[in-house]
Amino acid sequence: MEASLGAELLKLRKRRAVWSLVGAAVALLLVIGYALPYARYLLTGDPAVLGRALPDRLAVTAVDGDVRYVGVLAFVLGVLSAGGEYGWTTLRTALVQRPSRTSVLAGKVVALGVVNLVLVLAMFAAGAAAAALVAAAVPSGAPWPPPAGLTRGIASGWLILQMWTVLGALAGIALRGVAVPVGLGAAWLAGVETLLPALAHGPLAGLRPLRDALPGANAGALVAALGRPAAGGERAALVVTAYLVAAVALGVVLLRRRDVT
Amino acid sequence: MLVQTHDLTKRYGGVPAVDRVAFGVRAGEVFGVLGAPGAGKTTTLRLLLGLTRPTSGTARVAGRPPGHPDGLARIGALIGAPAFYPYLSGRDNLRVLARYARIPHGQVDAALAAAGLTGRAREPYAGYPRAARQRLGLAAALLKDAELLVLDEPGAGLDAAGLAELRDLLRGLAAGGRAVLLTGRVRGELERACDRAAVLDGGRIVGEVAGDGG
């Protein structure tokens, strides 16, 4: 697996699209998490609207986007990494070198985990810098979160991003390409993950068990638990982990069983 | 024998792409699988490398079943049109393959030199003309110090000088004790490099020819 990991890390490190996605995620965090609340504060003069932009909420704010917009970017990262091998037909070039199909996928999953760790750390660093600026501009006396809270936030953010990325990789493998999985992923996140909770909350209460099993709903519950430690974060973490493990297992089965053209 | 097949068959929806193919390739020889497009040449090579599973029949390649990592470690291969990462340079593409193959990076520059690509090594693959892409495919096959080279249409895209260079390279490899299994057209430029060849038509071996071995 180490050999495949080295190859995958080299491919990801040299791919401009990967770092564009990381940059886009950090930019979205800064705009949505900090610039917009601060602009609202400047317009209204009400310090309460700053809310999550203050230092004490760093762990939640830096991870909150992972449920939706950064989650979409993480999904695309997975699709690009795995589906691109089919689009360029490079999978066969890799497989005839030596590695087993399982080790190729294992190397890919671990390498994507490294990229996601870099992404989460970048988001926390950017979020901390932005929160420090907001705190300097509008003194509130809000404390910084304790190290344990930051660690929990980083771990939760990584787990959520890795789940979306591996689901994206699975879609790339299952559909053997990039364009269709990206379209389906966007439709899933924008449609099912948004529509089903709205319906379950309103007229179709019978859909609640289904809603509670969605990856996005559990990612959201995990983030919510960062702000309220007794809010059932363990169950959400288990479900997110289960999606991650199931996606890897299904990817291995598909990769091992199907012919490579 | 570095390659031995017995009644190797691959069917797609009941239609045979490769039909009970049997041949062997020894160390020190260049063996050709020749035929028109669609004859089943590439599918045969895919079966031997474990990319495609046979419907029936068996094969042993480099002493192992097709696709076994220990067997693949002894094989250098170019299958179909060369396929590389377009955003990477030729050199970085080979570095990726060297990592997969667990071989020292020092062999990357040697393989690029053997394929005549040293001058383009740092250019992105996306900008390579067809002949340079083919040469990078050959460099990838030469990356390992392989006992068996499996080359699918290795002369595609090469000009007359490149083909002559390739023939010399293949004969040199065979003279050094390596086995070369290649595909090409009947009466194509590379048939002259073969010691023996099987002619494939409709997935079946319909004849054997003795090449002039260079």
Side-chain angles (χ1 to χ4, degrees):
Chain A
M1 201 276 278
E2 298 86 9
S4 295
L5 174 60
E8 296 297 336
L9 283 174
L10 177 57
K11 284 190 282 180
L12 290 172
R13 183 164 61 82
K14 296 265 182 173
R15 194 167 182 179
R16 206 173 295 166
V18 170
W19 303 113
S20 299
L21 289 173
V22 170
V26 171
L28 283 169
L29 166 69
L30 292 176
V31 170
I32 296 171
Y34 295 94
L36 290 179
Y38 187 67
R40 204 167 153 215
Y41 163 74
L42 290 179
L43 290 172
T44 62
D46 178 8
V49 299
L50 284 172
R52 290 182 163 189
L54 293 172
D56 61 328
R57 301 286 290 171
L58 173 62
V60 174
T61 306
V63 172
D64 193 39
D66 297 355
V67 180
R68 288 282 184 276
Y69 53 88
V70 182
V72 173
L73 298 177
F75 186 90
V76 171
L77 173 66
V79 173
L80 289 178
S81 175
E85 303 277 5
Y86 292 93
W88 293 322
T89 64
T90 42
L91 183 58
R92 67 164 191 248
T93 308
L95 290 176
V96 299
Q97 298 312 311
R98 182 174 184 169
S100 68
R101 297 181 186 204
T102 304
S103 77
V104 166
L105 185 61
K108 210 175 267 300
V109 168
V110 176
L112 289 167
V114 172
V115 172
N116 278 329
L117 183 61
V118 171
L119 172 55
V120 171
L121 292 176
M123 292 179 75
F124 269 79
L133 286 175
V134 171
V138 189
S140 65
W144 288 94
L150 284 177
T151 305
R152 199 157 159 246
I154 289 169
S156 300
W158 179 85
L159 183 62
I160 293 168
L161 290 181
Q162 188 69 355
M163 174 193 71
W164 288 127
T165 301
V166 173
L167 285 172
L170 173 63
I173 291 168
L175 298 165
R176 293 188 257 214
V178 170
V180 175
V182 165
L184 285 179
W188 174 271
L189 283 158
V192 177
E193 293 278 2
T194 306
L195 196 61
L196 195 62
L199 290 173
H201 187 69
L204 298 172
L207 290 175
R208 280 180 192 165
L210 195 56
R211 176 202 63 185
D212 292 344
L214 289 175
N218 283 280
L222 190 53
V223 173
L226 291 172
R228 293 172 289 126
E234 291 79 9
R235 181 195 173 275
L238 277 175
V239 175
V240 169
T241 305
Y243 272 108
L244 172 57
V245 172
V248 172
L250 196 52
V252 168
V253 170
L254 287 175
L255 205 52
R256 285 176 63 94
R257 289 181 64 115
R258 298 196 303 197
D259 288 346
V260 175
T261 53
Chain B
M1 285 286 182
L2 277 162
V3 178
Q4 187 71 62
T5 74
H6 294 287
D7 291 340
L8 202 57
T9 299
K10 179 68 178 180
R11 294 176 186 276
Y12 292 104
V15 179
V18 172
D19 193 4
R20 287 171 285 163
V21 162
F23 63 84
V25 183
R26 293 185 289 266
E29 76 169 343
V30 179
F31 185 89
V33 176
L34 309 178
K41 307 186 297 287
T42 300
T43 305
T44 301
L45 298 196
R46 286 183 197 282
L47 289 165
L48 295 178
L49 292 167
L51 295 172
T52 301
R53 286 178 177 75
T55 307
S56 61
T58 60
R60 299 280 290 180
V61 188
R64 299 282 183 171
H68 192 287
D70 291 347
L72 289 172
R74 299 165 61 195
I75 302 170
L78 165 64
I79 293 293
F84 293 97
Y85 303 97
Y87 59 92
L88 293 178
S89 67
R91 188 168 187 277
D92 281 338
N93 265 293
L94 293 197
R95 286 177 66 207
V96 167
L97 302 187
R99 289 187 181 192
Y100 276 128
R102 291 187 237 163
I103 56 175
H105 286 181
Q107 289 178 223
V108 166
D109 291 328
L112 286 165
L117 268 180
T118 304
R120 306 194 86 121
R122 293 183 189 280
E123 295 174 22
Y125 176 75
Y128 277 25
R130 189 175 176 215
R133 291 179 178 214
Q134 191 68 13
R135 283 177 183 272
L136 188 62
L138 289 169
L142 296 170
L143 194 55
K144 296 176 223 170
D145 191 17
E147 295 163 56
L148 168 66
L149 281 115
V150 177
L151 305 173
D152 192 13
E153 306 270 6
L158 298 184
D159 58 15
L163 284 167
E165 213 178 302
L166 178 61
R167 274 198 303 269
D168 290 344
L169 176 68
L170 298 177
R171 293 308 318 163
L173 289 165
R178 290 170 177 79
V180 179
L181 169 59
L182 60 83
T183 65
R185 307 280 177 86
V186 179
R187 287 185 290 281
E189 286 294 328
L190 288 178
E191 187 178 329
R192 285 165 49 200
C194 297
D195 296 296
R196 296 184 300 129
V199 178
L200 219 56
D201 185 26
R204 303 186 74 166
I205 292 180
V206 294
E208 292 199 15
V209 292
D212 60 11

